[in-house]
Amino acid sequence: MRILFAAFIPVLASSFTAPIAFTSNSIASNNNVATSSRSSIFGVNSKSAPAQVVLRAAEGDAEFEKKKVIVLGGDGFCGWPTCLHLSDAGHDIVMVDNLSRRNIDTELGCNSLTPIQPPEVRVQAWKEVSGKDIKFVNLDVAKEYDLLVQLLKEEKPDAVVHFAEQRAAPYSMKNSKAKRYTIDNNVSGSNNLCCAVLDADLDTHIVHLGTMGVYGYGTSGGEIPEGYIDVILPGGREANILHPAYPGSVYHATKCLDALLWQFYQKNDSLRVTDLHQGIVWGTNTPQTIKDERLINRFDYDGDYGTVLNRFLMQGAMGVPLTVYGTGGQTRAFIHITDTAKCIEIAINNPPAAGDRVEIFNQVAETRRVRDVAALVAEQTGVEVNMLPNPRQEAAENELDVANRKFCNLGLEPTTLDTGLFTEVTEIVKKYKDRCDPTKILPASFWNKKRAEECASLDPNSITIEDKASVNGN
């Protein structure tokens, strides 16, 4: 089935083949992620997709290929557990970060709920518990271009994982300064990386963490394909094109611009690029971060950086009514932090061949409606659900059907929302609840003046933390 594509329309006609629903034992029922192993016309390259791939081969196994990997943004929420996961798998890891996220903590007056250690302490702790080295380099990818080129020439990485971007949609809409910083940092950093790989004269595979938000939410008229979509252009001309962009914030707009940069540099210079359109990440611990308290990952709970499920779990554990924006009818894609690291590993192990177009994966496990997720957490924790004015400019309700067949075909078994994993997160919250500043829980960034006016009644000082023995009040 193909789509008649008219120029400059943001919403495509509803002509998709019906998606195959993914069934799990999760509590919530609205799961529209297609994970069938059957072939799909939506961007699947059947010639390059192997039928069976080893997800992880241990060091010493015949299948294992040790690679040198530079992780840009390696000190962040997704970057740090990915560094540990890849190092644990046997790869040689160089962790690069300019610590900008820690500086934003200072700017916002809100630290991670978990006490994250300095990078030097983190890598030393990992050396002690694993015997493996991770090299840390303090470098600004967007501003220190010469140092980036020098690093690539010295390390000659097989792959560069690119997390080094301002990652929060609310923060990107906070004010003009934050909008400009997000554009300058994210787009310049991505362009610098492409130029640096070329100037270093390397055949390095770039693995970029994008976002599902590049597609918009529910604008495809059916299942969201993995990056590329078949269309019929005027005159009956058939084409397979990059899915139209429909960003919902300045942050999402930078990811759309990134996608165009990858397309250009692949076409012009044959760079090998994999772009991962990731859903909302939840969870905090991974099998590596739990090995030593000094390895703990950051946990953001504030209105700017706290992801929706982690915010709900934190609020439920502390007896705070869950902050649901608008009707809660927004349907979003979710993925556990452990699966984020696994997907990065799969992408590194399965690079596009020289000359292949940009490889695109939808990095998601399942989709859920926000109010259904809130109901799930409320049932477990016994807290109320508080429907707040929506600080975002977005549809009150949307459907979201997503294809993620590529990762599943390559061996990923997605982690779905599970109350057992919820308990792990809430235990972390209870342990560090004294570090929480309740005045930072409500939204503090608004998409436009109208949204700010509608949220004017929200009082940050109205939030109080309930002192209870457990998340169930026992």
Side-chain angles (χ1 to χ4, degrees), residues 398-413:
N398 74 276
E399 301 298 326
L400 188 64
D401 298 333
V402 182
N404 71 344
R405 299 180 182 94
K406 290 185 181 181
F407 270 131
C408 293
N409 289 346
L410 291 172
L412 179 70
E413 297 180 0

Side-chain angles (χ1 to χ4, degrees), residues 151-383:
L151 178 69
L152 293 178
K153 288 181 176 180
E154 291 175 353
E155 299 294 343
K156 296 179 172 55
D158 299 290
V160 173
V161 180
H162 182 21
F163 291 115
E165 296 184 284
Q166 193 292 105
R167 67 171 178 84
Y171 182 82
S172 78
M173 302 299 293
K174 195 170 194 66
N175 49 42
S176 295
K177 178 183 177 181
K179 292 175 182 177
R180 293 170 59 240
Y181 167 72
T182 302
I183 292 286
D184 291 345
N185 181 78
N186 293 9
V187 180
S188 292
S190 295
N191 188 60
N192 280 356
L193 175 57
C194 293
C195 293
V197 170
L198 294 173
D199 283 349
D201 196 23
L202 297 173
D203 182 30
T204 295
H205 175 208
I206 296 173
V207 179
H208 172 251
L209 190 71
T211 171
M212 284 295 300
V214 300
Y215 300 117
Y217 293 104
T219 63
S220 292
E223 179 189 270
I224 294 179
E226 301 200 67
Y228 300 97
I229 188 167
D230 287 303
V231 300
I232 299 178
L233 299 170
R237 292 170 294 149
E238 297 182 354
N240 183 261
I241 65 171
L242 190 67
H243 191 288
Y246 203 59
S249 72
V250 169
Y251 157 75
H252 292 107
T254 65
K255 297 294 188 175
C256 295
L257 295 171
D258 285 343
L260 293 178
L261 286 174
W262 311 135
Q263 293 290 325
F264 170 75
Y265 280 104
Q266 185 284 320
K267 179 185 70 172
N268 193 70
D269 301 288
S270 298
L271 288 190
R272 294 188 298 144
V273 181
T274 298
D275 203 6
L276 307 175
H277 294 333
Q278 181 168 258
I280 297 171
V281 184
W282 68 283
T284 184
N285 275 334
T286 69
Q288 292 76 35
T289 63
I290 62 174
K291 292 183 177 182
D292 190 293
E293 189 166 5
R294 294 170 294 172
L295 300 175
I296 196 167
N297 197 22
R298 70 177 301 123
F299 188 105
D300 297 308
Y301 64 89
D302 60 289
D304 281 336
Y305 275 88
T307 60
V308 60
L309 181 50
N310 276 3
R311 285 194 294 107
F312 286 170
L313 292 171
M314 183 279 300
Q315 292 161 8
M318 294 188 176
V320 175
L322 307 185
T323 54
V324 176
Y325 301 159
T327 67
Q330 310 92 335
T331 303
R332 296 293 183 262
F334 293 90
I335 185 170
H336 191 269
I337 185 64
T338 299
D339 283 351
T340 291
K342 289 179 180 177
C343 287
I344 296 294
E345 180 186 9
I346 292 173
I348 290 172
N349 289 339
N350 296 275
D356 280 2
R357 68 179 180 177
V358 175
E359 180 64 274
I360 300 176
F361 292 85
N362 289 341
Q363 190 164 305
V364 303
E366 60 185 327
T367 60
R368 300 291 180 204
R369 203 173 294 276
V370 170
R371 60 172 171 256
D372 294 338
V373 175
L376 184 62
V377 176
E379 179 181 358
Q380 184 191 14
T381 62
V383 302

